[in-house]
Amino acid sequence: MSALSAERLSVAFGGVRAVDGVSFDVAAGIVFSIIGPNGAGKTTLFNLISGLCRSHDGGVWLCGEDVTALAPEDLARRGLSRTFQNLQIFSHLTVIENVMVGRHRHEATGILADLLHLPAVARQNRGTRKAAAEALGRVGLGDAAERSASGLAYGHLKRLEIARALASEPKVLLLDEPAAGCNPVETREIEAIIRGIVADGVTVVLVEHDMRLVMNVSDRIHVLANGRTLAEGTAVEIRTNAAVIEAYLGVRGAREAAGAVG
Amino acid sequence: MSMLAPLERFRLLQRRRLAAAGASKSILLDRFRLLRRRRLISLVPIVAIVIILPLLFSSAYYYRVAALVFLFGIAALGLNLLMGFAGQVSLGHAGFMGIGAYAVAIGPTAFGIPPVLSFILGALLSALVAFVVGRPILRLKEHYLAVATLGFGILLAIVFTNEANWTGGPDGMAVPQLILFNWPLRGAAVWYWILAVSFLVGAVIALNLINSPTGRALRAIHDSEVAARVLGIDVAQKKLMIFVISAVYTSIAGSYLALLDGYITPQISGFLRSIELVAMVVLGGMGSVAGSLVGAAVLVILPQALTLFDEYEHVVLGLIVMGVMIFLRAGIVPSLAAAFGGGRS
Amino acid sequence: MLSVDNLKSGYGRIEALHGVSIEVAAGEIVTLVGANGAGKTTLLRAISGVQTISAGRISFEGRSIESIPAHARVALGIAQVPEGRQLFAPLSVEDNLKLGAWNRRRGHSGNDIHRVYELFPMLRELRRTAAGALSGGQQQLLAIGRALMARPRLLLLDEPSMGLAPILVDQILNVVLDLKHNGLTVLLVEQNARAALAIADRGYVLETGAITASGRAAEIQRDKRVREAYLGV
Amino acid sequence: MAEFLQFVFSGITVGAIYALVAIGFTLIYNASDVVNFAQGEFVMLGAMGTVFLGHAGVPLLLAGVVAVLITTVVGLALYRWAIVPAREADAVTLIIITIGASIFLRGVAEVVFDKGFHSLPALLGSNPIRLGGATILPQSLVVLAGAFFIMVLLWAFIDRTLFGKAVRAIAANRVAARLVGINTRIVVGASFALSAAIGAIAGILITPITLTSYNGGTLLALKGFAAIMLGGIGSAVGAVVGGILLGLLEAFAAGYVSASYKDAVGFLVILAVLFVMPRGLFGKATVERV
Amino acid sequence: SAQVKIGSVLSVTGPASFLGEPEKETLKIYVDKINAKGGIDGQKLQLIIYDDGGNANAARTFATRLVEQDKVVAMVGGATTGTSMAEIPVFQDAQIPFISLGGSIRIIQPVKKWVFKTPHTDRMACEKIFADLKKRKLTKVALISGTDAFGKSMRDQCIAVAPKAGITIVHVENYGPHDSDMTPQLTKIKATPGVQAVINTGFGQGPAIVTRDYRQLGIPYPLYQSHGVASKQFIKLAGPAANGVRLPAAALLVADQLPDSDPQKPVVVAYKKTFEAKTGKPVSTFGGHAYDALMIFAAAAKRAGSFDKAKVRDQIEKTKGFIGTGGTFNMSPTNHLGLDLSAFRMLEIKDGEWTLVH
Ligand SMILES: Nc1ncnc2c1ncn2[C@@H]1O[C@H](COP(=O)(O)OP(=O)(O)OP(=O)(O)O)[C@@H](O)[C@H]1O
Ligand SMILES: Nc1ncnc2c1ncn2[C@@H]1O[C@H](COP(=O)(O)OP(=O)(O)OP(=O)(O)O)[C@@H](O)[C@H]1O
Ligand SMILES: [Mg+2]
Ligand SMILES: [Mg+2]
């Protein structure tokens, strides 16, 4: 069964058809990458899938269930999680609290129990904190747990978002440019993190412009241009696709993609 | 500038960094453990103050002023839960004070409902009103939310002013005394204890909430609704919940005020009172439980202290409000906490 | 042209730069290499004047500028492409560009806008769109265009290729080279360290708030430790 | 019919007043995202200043000019001594500062002027204009013309000049504004000065109708605030349309429903509009990409 | 020398400041005068005034402060009905005489042992107006009132006493205290058939605007205002529109026009002179109420021969034939005001001046 499938997703802003009849199918447990030129509609596609934006057409299925009209919070409860290209950090919270919020869907929240701080709440808090610390550890931010999130450097904030999304134990995780702002070494670390996530059985949908990363981790790659599908295939197929090279990769991209050791 | 730094230097630096990181990590962990065990630690000084203050009081006047501080502390705390934690402004919270106040005034006189029951019904009514109006209003953001809540508060004030048959109109109405187990609650000292304890109970509940999943969710909503939603938080429902809780706090404060004064006028729900509540929250510190009390103290005590300045009272009051916000811009309690010891409140 | 001497800066109690010194000569491209959180952004912000410094000197063309407010430094000829784009979100693309030329507001910016559009045709199509509605990469292009509108003599670039498609990364780096050939001086922070070192004249390595290495770009590129730590080879 | 027309005239009279007060909020909001709670005091200062300079024997026209200048300086001073020192503070803090300023200015007015009500002579006399059985005072039309005049100027300024764009740029992203070389202090300071001047002019024009007193600004500002939210905050056109609409609503409510609940009707309609258009009639929705 | 403290909580700022301000000035002037003459029984008075801003809760706190901290022997003032009502329990509990300056009859009815007041009640104002209407053979009136406490309370009183006075109220309108245009309400009154006169109950700036709008619409019937506008300010604000407006008011406003035979004349002339000389502002009846209250207290204390609170209270209650600015006070255990209708004069504004209607 596929973990995520999208059918004829379309949305327009003013005159711009940001996403125009895009369909794809993501098998469970793989890394599925979406690449394409700037403004191709990748982030908008993520917004459509995660319920932040409504498609004019078609639908979305999550692990076989039709989730087309669901609100983001309902999708989250069904195991979809994501990070953001433009960071959405809870900046008044500490780093670990940010991640603890990620646990929300696994927490029992009886308002009365919360107000009275029943022992169960305390116990649950401890559990949440432990799980959050673990997620932070996975992205290498264990040391920063008690810092205020607003004080992290850009690259670390990107990791914090990954940890937060991980903490919600998603079935499908959408990552929007996780390696932006990372040097090659740091990109490797991100790569390792992604591999770890997949190893846990999570399906990852990745949007990224770093071709080494994309070519290294992707099981399948879907290329968008001007809101439409340009190509889909394996890393090798894509990096040698003339149309993709022309519209997106360019010389450098093609070289980087080729240089990646798959 | 030297050319490439020698490898030795690099290693040394590397080591120093690790050592520093390790040290800071353990310190942080220790502090965190302390904090966790002492969730309610910020209340200790308040409890101490509650107990010590009466020793310094030479008359019922002091009791009254202190009682008012705790009373407005409760109202400000309620509003702070909404503004400081969930980031939703309300310029109409005095409306809930009005509901609470008129409930204990009208309940016994018009319907023969015992005052204690009226008190509870007032809180429930506020909750219900908050639940009903909150749903549409809370869809609005920032200034638009501000004007919507403002309108709500003014609507209530208009009703209290115009429905003279029930409320006595703009001249106000008398409030029957609260009698508990055949013991009439009267005298400022009695109210001092009632209100101090009530505030503490309210503060404990607020701290519990803040340290619960719900509290974290609310604070998250404050910073990014989008992120909160994709993490499975039902933003609309959480906002509504905190709006209702905060309405109940404020309503209870309103009931207390009516009982304490024995007389109420529609001013209790007026626009100026709402602004005063907001000012208490911000002056004391958004998101600070102790700050609510401090903010209330400032705005209750200042007018008493400033009688000294006679006709310059408002000039001085305005200057103090501006001065506090300029120099302690995060609010009194958080700013001072940051200045002395970097603790969080 | 730019000289930073023993600069210290931080956020509240935390010091992020512990005495950083760098030199950028006129007409040079100098790149700053460092890990996430090393303090690169902090340094650039300090040079632009939007970050308070606690010690040290910054001089530009022989004149010390620590006490000059940020807006006046732009008038002196320092422009920045900031981290996170920092656009005027509700304003249109074109207004963002016009405001980029604020320090020359009495002169005409029309030609310059056309030059930016020629460089990045995508922006011309979007010129009436609110900057906040653009995609990440489009925003990045706009941020670069806006900085160019100031006609700076020293350009500070904080990760200019972030979020850009590979095909555009090449273009940006070529633009930087072109600018250099037209006499512009560039201080470049770039996650794509290899590419940055390839076009740079000199480089510095910044580690947790201190410069740990410096030299000609080619030497740095060859340095084993740098290769391991930052280039990933 | 005459009755209906009279309600319309009343609505225009009151609405023009709201509009003129409301438009004063626009600039400061555009520059700083702050709703200036001391705006009503600017209105009061313009009016009371003119009245008292007049009492002191200054010719009324000159008195008006001087009062506007004084208020402008007060606006600048508010910015320089209260807003600049708190520059990194968030909007709520700044709003509380303006509330403090409003208490302060009222306190000063209480001491410098007096606590009585005052009026100013109407510009075009007080002979009512009769039309279809209804009447309107010429001063109402003066206020209306003033509101439109300032609206057009402001709109042209904010939407058509680079300076106006700089004002909005600062509110959108202060750091970025500094990075492109905008002297934020001068631009925001100018916005405060202009807002204060607009407030003062409004005060002088409306006083023949509303009368003025040291604390008369607060309630006017409240209505002005409601009007800008109805119109859409930040938009000069919205402020004027919102103001006039609110005035008409209240007049019809007073005429056809009940005067006791006319404020309630006004707010209910504002709420209704906001539910359909969460940013008011002319407010632009801002897109924030994630 | 020994000092005796008397307290006052006034609305010196806020919406009722035009009451509180002259009251405060009057109290200060006359306490100084009393002290200059050696005080009462050789004891000087110390006046403590707090400003409640019109807020009932603040008023109550200040009342507590006067009683508990300042240990006053009496309280003269409580400017409005709302604030007075909130203060009453404090003085009743502490058993301290309290002479209120609030308007409503609710302050003294039902009678409260320690509470008195000096301003005429709004009911008396209604009766006075109705009497004048009857004289002019006008029986059908429309009411327009402010929604503030004063306007609303008087409106209710007028409606209550109208039937007894043989007056029919054919239409009722109201306006907010800060409204700037009342033409819609007046238009409706204009359109109501049968109206013969219009009464406006309200204070502050509202009545001035009502008067101007009334003339703007060219409504032909006589217009009556209440005693709430009894200050020169009203005439100034309403301008020429005020001509022909009638209102019930204390003799104070027409001090100079009173016949020499009028027993009130010396009192009101003296007060007017003193007040205007000291403050440079025209007198209003509001300051006069404070004068009356202070003097009633002073006389009672003198008669009591001490400042014993109970004795002073008893003497206040026994006030008989006291001539004040508001009229002649004759208090009794059942009447803690002691004014009758004769205290009010019917005035008409002519060419910007108050004139007595004979
Ligand atoms: N809310 C919106 N209003 C107007 N235009 C929008 C909006 N959202 C997206 N667009 C437009 O839709 C197109 C697709 O944007 P999107 O952010 O999805 O691109 P992307 O593929 O993520 O690009 P990048 O790689 O630069 O992040 C762009 O042209 C953008 O300008
Ligand atoms: N607003 C802030 N408040 C507190 N600390 C901060 C803040 N911004 C940055 N820091 C800290 O200052 C240090 C330097 O951060 P800076 O952003 O300059 O790093 P950087 O080299 O630009 O990293 P990146 O490659 O991730 O952009 C980091 O330790 C970071 O945590
Ligand atoms: Mg994108
Ligand atoms: Mg950086």
Side-chain angles (χ1 to χ4, degrees), chain A residues 13 16 18 37-44 85 177 209, chain C residues 126 133-138 163, chain D residues 287 289:
Chain A
F13 301 102
V16 187
N38 295 120
K42 304 178 294 294
T43 300
T44 309
Q85 182 174 13
E177 302 200 12
H209 290 299
Chain C
L126 295 163
L134 302 187
S135 84
Q138 291 165 342
Chain D
V287 190
R289 299 296 313 274

Side-chain angles (χ1 to χ4, degrees), chain E:
Chain E
S1 64
Q3 293 215 323
V4 176
K5 291 179 184 167
I6 57 169
S8 186
V9 181
L10 298 171
S11 308
V12 184
T13 57
S17 63
F18 62 95
L19 301 177
E21 181 75 4
E23 287 162 358
K24 176 180 173 178
E25 279 166 338
T26 301
L27 289 180
K28 278 185 160 170
I29 293 168
Y30 279 91
V31 165
D32 284 350
K33 265 184 175 281
I34 291 172
N35 285 340
K37 283 192 201 134
I40 299 174
D41 283 346
Q43 298 227 52
K44 300 241 156 118
L45 297 184
Q46 186 191 343
L47 175 67
I48 302 171
I49 301 182
Y50 295 122
D51 171 23
D52 61 34
N55 183 307
N57 175 54
R60 175 149 182 157
T61 305
F62 282 125
T64 310
R65 183 165 171 182
L66 286 175
V67 168
E68 297 283 341
Q69 284 305 110
D70 303 323
K71 312 273 182 209
V72 297
V73 299
M75 158 119 148
V76 176
T80 68
T81 304
T83 54
S84 294
M85 294 299 287
E87 289 156 357
I88 284 171
V90 178
F91 294 99
Q92 286 282 99
D93 282 357
Q95 312 205 327
I96 291 176
F98 169 29
I99 311 179
S100 165
L101 309 179
S104 170
I105 197 161
R106 285 167 66 189
I107 295 170
I108 48 158
Q109 236 176 43
V111 175
K112 298 162 197 78
K113 186 171 177 197
W114 297 88
V115 182
F116 304 86
K117 79 177 215 113
T118 56
H120 323 85
T121 65
D122 32 24
R123 174 178 300 175
M124 293 162 67
C126 295
E127 286 166 351
K128 187 78 187 175
I129 293 173
F130 290 159
D132 193 58
L133 285 168
K134 284 296 272 283
K135 252 191 251 159
R136 297 168 87 175
K137 306 224 165 13
L138 307 170
T139 55
K140 288 184 167 172
V141 301
L143 268 181
I144 178 166
S145 67
T147 52
D148 51 82
F150 179 91
K152 191 142 175 144
S153 167
M154 177 162 169
R155 181 189 86 161
D156 294 346
Q157 293 302 329
C158 285
I159 293 173
V161 300
K164 240 195 332 195
I167 298 286
T168 329
I169 293 174
V170 292
H171 193 81
V172 181
E173 281 292 334
N174 55 48
Y175 57 84
H178 301 278
D179 286 357
S180 40
D181 186 275
M182 283 55 150
T183 55
Q185 293 94 321
L186 292 170
T187 302
K188 278 161 78 182
I189 289 179
K190 193 180 173 187
T192 306
V195 174
Q196 294 171 323
V198 178
I199 302 172
N200 176 199
T201 70
F203 64 7
Q205 88 253 50
I209 295 176
V210 167
T211 306
R212 295 199 313 199
D213 290 354
Y214 197 81
R215 302 296 182 219
Q216 177 194 332
L217 293 175
I219 302 177
Y221 326 119
L223 175 62
Y224 284 81
Q225 291 287 353
S226 72
H227 54 308
V229 304
S231 74
K232 199 81 184 197
Q233 188 174 270
F234 168 74
I235 299 183
K236 218 176 74 197
L237 294 176
N243 270 333
V245 169
R246 286 192 178 189
L247 70 153
L252 178 56
L253 291 187
V254 284
D256 305 326
Q257 298 171 37
L258 292 177
D260 288 339
S261 59
D262 194 314
Q264 257 193 292
K265 183 153 187 172
V267 176
V268 292
V269 168
Y271 171 71
K272 182 177 153 91
K273 252 203 215 134
T274 310
F275 185 89
E276 292 184 347
K278 291 266 185 191
T279 64
K281 296 171 198 162
V283 276
S284 69
T285 53
F286 316 126
H289 300 318
Y291 169 87
D292 295 348
L294 180 66
M295 290 308 168
I296 287 175
F297 162 76
K302 203 171 256 166
R303 287 199 301 275
S306 83
F307 288 98
D308 180 86
K309 292 157 196 161
K311 284 187 189 150
V312 172
R313 189 215 81 90
D314 292 345
Q315 287 303 325
I316 294 176
E317 198 169 69
K318 286 188 186 133
T319 297
K320 285 279 168 332
F322 172 83
I323 300 172
T325 65
T328 304
F329 291 83
N330 292 301
M331 296 204 187
S332 73
T334 55
N335 185 345
H336 277 192
L337 165 60
L339 288 175
D340 61 28
L341 266 194
S342 70
F344 265 136
R345 319 287 165 121
M346 185 50 68
L347 308 187
E348 182 170 324
I349 298 167
K350 281 189 184 145
D351 301 324
E353 292 297 336
W354 310 111
T355 58
L356 264 171
V357 176
H358 295 290

Side-chain angles (χ1 to χ4, degrees), chain A residues 153-155, chain C residues 36-37 39-42 83 158-159 189:
Chain A
Y154 187 86
Chain C
N36 289 154
K40 308 179 292 290
T41 299
T42 309
E83 179 178 86
D158 199 348
E159 317 213 0
V189 170

